[in-house]
mmCIF file of all heavy atoms in Angstrom:
data_model
loop_
_atom_site.group_PDB
_atom_site.id
_atom_site.type_symbol
_atom_site.label_atom_id
_atom_site.label_comp_id
_atom_site.label_asym_id
_atom_site.label_seq_id
_atom_site.Cartn_x
_atom_site.Cartn_y
_atom_site.Cartn_z
ATOM 1 N N ARG A 1 -35.248 140.966 17.162
ATOM 2 C CA ARG A 1 -35.449 142.294 17.746
ATOM 3 C C ARG A 1 -36.698 142.328 18.685
ATOM 4 O O ARG A 1 -36.769 143.120 19.553
ATOM 5 C CB ARG A 1 -35.663 143.328 16.633
ATOM 6 C CG ARG A 1 -34.387 143.501 15.771
ATOM 7 C CD ARG A 1 -34.647 144.504 14.651
ATOM 8 N NE ARG A 1 -33.473 144.724 13.901
ATOM 9 C CZ ARG A 1 -33.386 145.589 12.830
ATOM 10 N NH1 ARG A 1 -34.451 146.205 12.397
ATOM 11 N NH2 ARG A 1 -32.252 145.708 12.164
ATOM 12 N N ILE A 2 -37.584 141.354 18.429
ATOM 13 C CA ILE A 2 -38.767 141.296 19.263
ATOM 14 C C ILE A 2 -38.341 140.645 20.576
ATOM 15 O O ILE A 2 -37.469 139.785 20.691
ATOM 16 C CB ILE A 2 -39.873 140.425 18.635
ATOM 17 C CG1 ILE A 2 -40.303 141.136 17.361
ATOM 18 C CG2 ILE A 2 -41.077 140.280 19.553
ATOM 19 C CD1 ILE A 2 -41.382 140.362 16.570
ATOM 20 N N ASN A 3 -39.017 141.115 21.722
ATOM 21 C CA ASN A 3 -38.692 140.598 23.002
ATOM 22 C C ASN A 3 -38.697 139.104 23.065
ATOM 23 O O ASN A 3 -39.691 138.459 22.569
ATOM 24 C CB ASN A 3 -39.655 141.166 24.037
ATOM 25 C CG ASN A 3 -39.202 141.007 25.480
ATOM 26 O OD1 ASN A 3 -38.611 140.005 25.837
ATOM 27 N ND2 ASN A 3 -39.478 141.996 26.299
ATOM 28 N N GLN A 4 -37.715 138.552 23.667
ATOM 29 C CA GLN A 4 -37.583 137.014 23.755
ATOM 30 C C GLN A 4 -38.730 136.409 24.565
ATOM 31 O O GLN A 4 -39.105 135.288 24.345
ATOM 32 C CB GLN A 4 -36.214 136.583 24.394
ATOM 33 C CG GLN A 4 -34.991 137.118 23.576
ATOM 34 C CD GLN A 4 -34.904 136.421 22.198
ATOM 35 O OE1 GLN A 4 -34.661 135.267 22.081
ATOM 36 N NE2 GLN A 4 -35.133 137.243 21.130
ATOM 37 N N VAL A 5 -39.191 137.169 25.526
ATOM 38 C CA VAL A 5 -40.354 136.677 26.364
ATOM 39 C C VAL A 5 -41.520 136.374 25.465
ATOM 40 O O VAL A 5 -42.286 135.420 25.769
ATOM 41 C CB VAL A 5 -40.679 137.684 27.483
ATOM 42 C CG1 VAL A 5 -41.895 137.247 28.277
ATOM 43 C CG2 VAL A 5 -39.481 137.900 28.394
ATOM 44 N N PHE A 6 -41.747 137.219 24.469
ATOM 45 C CA PHE A 6 -42.881 137.015 23.556
ATOM 46 C C PHE A 6 -42.768 135.621 22.900
ATOM 47 O O PHE A 6 -43.750 134.863 22.799
ATOM 48 C CB PHE A 6 -42.972 138.124 22.551
ATOM 49 C CG PHE A 6 -43.958 137.922 21.501
ATOM 50 C CD1 PHE A 6 -45.323 138.096 21.739
ATOM 51 C CD2 PHE A 6 -43.581 137.536 20.230
ATOM 52 C CE1 PHE A 6 -46.275 137.891 20.729
ATOM 53 C CE2 PHE A 6 -44.539 137.330 19.188
ATOM 54 C CZ PHE A 6 -45.871 137.546 19.478
ATOM 55 N N TYR A 7 -41.608 135.371 22.360
ATOM 56 C CA TYR A 7 -41.346 134.086 21.714
ATOM 57 C C TYR A 7 -41.563 132.911 22.641
ATOM 58 O O TYR A 7 -42.079 131.860 22.352
ATOM 59 C CB TYR A 7 -39.949 134.031 21.053
ATOM 60 C CG TYR A 7 -39.814 134.854 19.795
ATOM 61 C CD1 TYR A 7 -39.116 136.078 19.798
ATOM 62 C CD2 TYR A 7 -40.306 134.377 18.644
ATOM 63 C CE1 TYR A 7 -38.952 136.778 18.644
ATOM 64 C CE2 TYR A 7 -40.146 135.070 17.458
ATOM 65 C CZ TYR A 7 -39.507 136.298 17.455
ATOM 66 O OH TYR A 7 -39.393 137.027 16.304
ATOM 67 N N GLY A 8 -41.034 133.152 23.862
ATOM 68 C CA GLY A 8 -41.115 132.037 24.829
ATOM 69 C C GLY A 8 -42.603 131.757 25.265
ATOM 70 O O GLY A 8 -43.028 130.641 25.366
ATOM 71 N N PHE A 9 -43.404 132.868 25.302
ATOM 72 C CA PHE A 9 -44.850 132.702 25.660
ATOM 73 C C PHE A 9 -45.566 131.921 24.530
ATOM 74 O O PHE A 9 -46.329 131.024 24.784
ATOM 75 C CB PHE A 9 -45.463 134.024 25.863
ATOM 76 C CG PHE A 9 -46.969 134.008 26.068
ATOM 77 C CD1 PHE A 9 -47.506 133.577 27.212
ATOM 78 C CD2 PHE A 9 -47.812 134.320 25.026
ATOM 79 C CE1 PHE A 9 -48.913 133.540 27.396
ATOM 80 C CE2 PHE A 9 -49.157 134.276 25.122
ATOM 81 C CZ PHE A 9 -49.699 133.834 26.346
ATOM 82 N N ILE A 10 -45.213 132.266 23.268
ATOM 83 C CA ILE A 10 -45.833 131.553 22.118
ATOM 84 C C ILE A 10 -45.476 130.086 22.131
ATOM 85 O O ILE A 10 -46.316 129.216 21.868
ATOM 86 C CB ILE A 10 -45.466 132.263 20.772
ATOM 87 C CG1 ILE A 10 -46.016 133.683 20.746
ATOM 88 C CG2 ILE A 10 -46.017 131.481 19.637
ATOM 89 C CD1 ILE A 10 -47.432 133.826 20.765
ATOM 90 N N LEU A 11 -44.206 129.804 22.417
ATOM 91 C CA LEU A 11 -43.708 128.450 22.505
ATOM 92 C C LEU A 11 -44.480 127.602 23.557
ATOM 93 O O LEU A 11 -44.930 126.524 23.338
ATOM 94 C CB LEU A 11 -42.284 128.331 22.735
ATOM 95 C CG LEU A 11 -41.345 128.457 21.502
ATOM 96 C CD1 LEU A 11 -39.907 128.440 21.958
ATOM 97 C CD2 LEU A 11 -41.649 127.269 20.570
ATOM 98 N N ALA A 12 -44.639 128.216 24.761
ATOM 99 C CA ALA A 12 -45.367 127.554 25.746
ATOM 100 C C ALA A 12 -46.832 127.334 25.360
ATOM 101 O O ALA A 12 -47.425 126.249 25.715
ATOM 102 C CB ALA A 12 -45.350 128.425 27.119
ATOM 103 N N LEU A 13 -47.411 128.306 24.662
ATOM 104 C CA LEU A 13 -48.797 128.043 24.136
ATOM 105 C C LEU A 13 -48.857 126.971 23.133
ATOM 106 O O LEU A 13 -49.826 126.118 23.163
ATOM 107 C CB LEU A 13 -49.291 129.322 23.508
ATOM 108 C CG LEU A 13 -50.776 129.475 23.182
ATOM 109 C CD1 LEU A 13 -51.602 129.324 24.401
ATOM 110 C CD2 LEU A 13 -51.082 130.799 22.497
ATOM 111 N N ILE A 14 -47.818 126.844 22.271
ATOM 112 C CA ILE A 14 -47.787 125.760 21.297
ATOM 113 C C ILE A 14 -47.712 124.400 21.978
ATOM 114 O O ILE A 14 -48.392 123.429 21.657
ATOM 115 C CB ILE A 14 -46.570 125.941 20.355
ATOM 116 C CG1 ILE A 14 -46.843 127.159 19.428
ATOM 117 C CG2 ILE A 14 -46.305 124.681 19.543
ATOM 118 C CD1 ILE A 14 -45.629 127.509 18.624
ATOM 119 N N TYR A 15 -46.833 124.321 23.023
ATOM 120 C CA TYR A 15 -46.676 122.968 23.756
ATOM 121 C C TYR A 15 -48.058 122.673 24.506
ATOM 122 O O TYR A 15 -48.331 121.483 24.565
ATOM 123 C CB TYR A 15 -45.555 123.145 24.751
ATOM 124 C CG TYR A 15 -44.180 123.050 24.123
ATOM 125 C CD1 TYR A 15 -43.259 124.061 24.395
ATOM 126 C CD2 TYR A 15 -43.884 121.929 23.330
ATOM 127 C CE1 TYR A 15 -42.020 123.951 23.740
ATOM 128 C CE2 TYR A 15 -42.584 121.881 22.727
ATOM 129 C CZ TYR A 15 -41.675 122.852 22.893
ATOM 130 O OH TYR A 15 -40.421 122.829 22.357
ATOM 131 N N SER A 16 -48.707 123.637 24.959
ATOM 132 C CA SER A 16 -50.034 123.362 25.690
ATOM 133 C C SER A 16 -51.009 122.868 24.642
ATOM 134 O O SER A 16 -51.816 121.964 24.930
ATOM 135 C CB SER A 16 -50.511 124.605 26.344
ATOM 136 O OG SER A 16 -50.955 125.614 25.437
ATOM 137 N N MET A 17 -51.019 123.460 23.403
ATOM 138 C CA MET A 17 -51.969 122.962 22.382
ATOM 139 C C MET A 17 -51.560 121.565 21.910
ATOM 140 O O MET A 17 -52.455 120.776 21.561
ATOM 141 C CB MET A 17 -51.926 123.952 21.189
ATOM 142 C CG MET A 17 -52.544 125.275 21.547
ATOM 143 S SD MET A 17 -52.482 126.435 20.144
ATOM 144 C CE MET A 17 -53.276 127.878 20.894
ATOM 145 N N LYS A 18 -50.326 121.299 21.880
ATOM 146 C CA LYS A 18 -49.861 119.958 21.528
ATOM 147 C C LYS A 18 -50.362 118.972 22.542
ATOM 148 O O LYS A 18 -50.845 117.827 22.168
ATOM 149 C CB LYS A 18 -48.305 119.876 21.389
ATOM 150 C CG LYS A 18 -47.765 118.484 21.145
ATOM 151 C CD LYS A 18 -46.274 118.474 21.290
ATOM 152 C CE LYS A 18 -45.791 117.050 21.317
ATOM 153 N NZ LYS A 18 -44.335 116.966 21.639
ATOM 154 N N PHE A 19 -50.248 119.306 23.796
ATOM 155 C CA PHE A 19 -50.838 118.434 24.906
ATOM 156 C C PHE A 19 -52.314 118.181 24.633
ATOM 157 O O PHE A 19 -52.782 117.081 24.818
ATOM 158 C CB PHE A 19 -50.608 119.234 26.213
ATOM 159 C CG PHE A 19 -51.177 118.487 27.444
ATOM 160 C CD1 PHE A 19 -50.417 117.669 28.201
ATOM 161 C CD2 PHE A 19 -52.510 118.648 27.774
ATOM 162 C CE1 PHE A 19 -50.915 117.001 29.280
ATOM 163 C CE2 PHE A 19 -53.060 118.011 28.838
ATOM 164 C CZ PHE A 19 -52.228 117.142 29.617
ATOM 165 N N THR A 20 -53.066 119.237 24.230
ATOM 166 C CA THR A 20 -54.481 119.069 24.029
ATOM 167 C C THR A 20 -54.714 118.142 22.830
ATOM 168 O O THR A 20 -55.607 117.263 22.923
ATOM 169 C CB THR A 20 -55.091 120.458 23.687
ATOM 170 O OG1 THR A 20 -54.878 121.322 24.786
ATOM 171 C CG2 THR A 20 -56.582 120.294 23.435
ATOM 172 N N VAL A 21 -53.937 118.267 21.751
ATOM 173 C CA VAL A 21 -54.095 117.449 20.581
ATOM 174 C C VAL A 21 -53.878 115.955 20.929
ATOM 175 O O VAL A 21 -54.640 115.021 20.598
ATOM 176 C CB VAL A 21 -53.129 117.788 19.433
ATOM 177 C CG1 VAL A 21 -53.153 116.841 18.308
ATOM 178 C CG2 VAL A 21 -53.575 119.185 18.892
ATOM 179 N N MET A 22 -52.820 115.668 21.697
ATOM 180 C CA MET A 22 -52.453 114.344 22.059
ATOM 181 C C MET A 22 -53.560 113.664 22.976
ATOM 182 O O MET A 22 -53.893 112.552 22.687
ATOM 183 C CB MET A 22 -51.122 114.247 22.812
ATOM 184 C CG MET A 22 -49.955 114.814 22.074
ATOM 185 S SD MET A 22 -49.541 113.918 20.518
ATOM 186 C CE MET A 22 -50.220 115.014 19.302
ATOM 187 N N TRP A 23 -54.021 114.433 23.952
ATOM 188 C CA TRP A 23 -55.018 113.836 24.878
ATOM 189 C C TRP A 23 -56.452 113.739 24.214
ATOM 190 O O TRP A 23 -57.162 112.796 24.561
ATOM 191 C CB TRP A 23 -55.017 114.640 26.114
ATOM 192 C CG TRP A 23 -54.003 114.152 27.106
ATOM 193 C CD1 TRP A 23 -52.824 114.780 27.406
ATOM 194 C CD2 TRP A 23 -54.049 112.976 27.926
ATOM 195 N NE1 TRP A 23 -52.164 114.026 28.332
ATOM 196 C CE2 TRP A 23 -52.807 112.923 28.627
ATOM 197 C CE3 TRP A 23 -54.975 111.930 28.036
ATOM 198 C CZ2 TRP A 23 -52.503 111.868 29.530
ATOM 199 C CZ3 TRP A 23 -54.635 110.872 28.880
ATOM 200 C CH2 TRP A 23 -53.451 110.850 29.632
ATOM 201 N N ASP A 24 -56.754 114.647 23.327
ATOM 202 C CA ASP A 24 -58.015 114.562 22.642
ATOM 203 C C ASP A 24 -58.039 113.284 21.767
ATOM 204 O O ASP A 24 -59.058 112.585 21.609
ATOM 205 C CB ASP A 24 -58.258 115.806 21.742
ATOM 206 C CG ASP A 24 -58.832 116.960 22.572
ATOM 207 O OD1 ASP A 24 -59.249 116.759 23.712
ATOM 208 O OD2 ASP A 24 -58.891 118.085 22.029
#
């Protein structure tokens, strides 16, 4: 029921944090 854009934004944020973990 929650807007799909919200879920998509959270997923993009998760992938960016994964990028940070890998490079750190």
Side-chain angles (χ1 to χ4, degrees):
R1 295 180 178 177
I2 299 177
N3 194 321
Q4 300 293 291
V5 176
F6 172 77
Y7 284 105
F9 174 77
I10 297 297
L11 273 178
L13 191 60
I14 290 172
Y15 285 124
S16 71
M17 290 177 181
K18 176 190 169 186
F19 177 95
T20 303
V21 170
M22 299 301 104
W23 275 103
D24 279 349

